[in-house]
Amino acid sequence: MQEAEVSLRVALYYIQHKLTNEDVTVSIDGAHIKTGEKIHFDIWSFLSDNGCKKIEGDSDRWQGKYQVFCCSEHIIITSEAGIGDVNVQLLDGKKLYVESKKGKENKSGQEYPLMREAIGQLMTGRELTKDIIPAVAVPYSDKTYELATRWCEYSQIKKIGIRFILVKADGDIVMI
């Protein structure tokens, strides 16, 4: 699962499960979509297949505002650096600040460094105030589940309040 898909599935989950009543911002690096002529993630097909229709922005670009089928909240897709991969205003007034990472099929051992990188980005990306909930989002696997379950017990992770969002291929999410 590509990083852009992880981020978009998190946004869709929060909107479709009514965990927010605000638009959700997703920042995607263009290189995660395409480099040169090589397409890494078919964002147009993904959005269409998941009931998202572009309602604002240049029709030739994937950045813009998208209506999510049967929901009043939108996904706003940008390529703005330094804002985190997903930002969700939660119903309790807190803001979920997510750093996402990809997963590669049949590539063992990559979960550990990718999850650690996301934790590092959370720690250095912005000031974490009491109103911000930092989270790491990665594809679900036995290994990511094992690491998240173990790491969430560490005092430093508890103190900062980092959550782990494990994204399944069907769009379901396991929160740790």
Side-chain angles (χ1 to χ4, degrees), residues 7 10 14 24-25 27 80-90 94-100 117-129 131-137 160-165:
S7 295
V10 169
Y14 274 83
V24 175
T25 302
S27 181
E80 186 178 344
I83 65 166
D85 295 322
V86 184
N87 285 276
V88 182
Q89 186 71 44
L90 301 174
K94 292 188 177 185
K95 188 172 199 171
L96 185 67
Y97 173 64
V98 181
E99 287 292 344
S100 303
E117 180 182 347
I119 291 169
Q121 288 175 294
L122 287 172
M123 298 301 298
T124 59
R126 72 184 300 178
E127 184 71 29
L128 296 177
T129 66
D131 294 329
I132 295 175
I133 300 169
V136 170
I160 297 161
I162 295 175
R163 297 190 184 165
F164 295 90
I165 301 171

Side-chain angles (χ1 to χ4, degrees), residues 24-55:
V24 175
T25 302
V26 177
S27 181
I28 298 174
D29 183 336
H32 292 142
I33 304 300
K34 180 180 176 184
T35 51
E37 295 301 314
K38 180 163 177 57
I39 296 174
H40 305 289
F41 177 65
D42 186 353
I43 192 167
W44 295 109
S45 293
F46 177 86
L47 291 166
S48 177
D49 292 348
N50 284 278
C52 299
K53 180 181 176 186
K54 191 168 193 177
I55 59 171

Side-chain angles (χ1 to χ4, degrees), residues 2 15 22 32-33 52 58 98 112 128 140 149 169:
Q2 295 295 319
I15 289 172
E22 305 274 337
H32 292 142
I33 304 300
C52 299
D58 185 342
V98 181
Y112 184 85
L128 296 177
Y140 180 93
T149 302

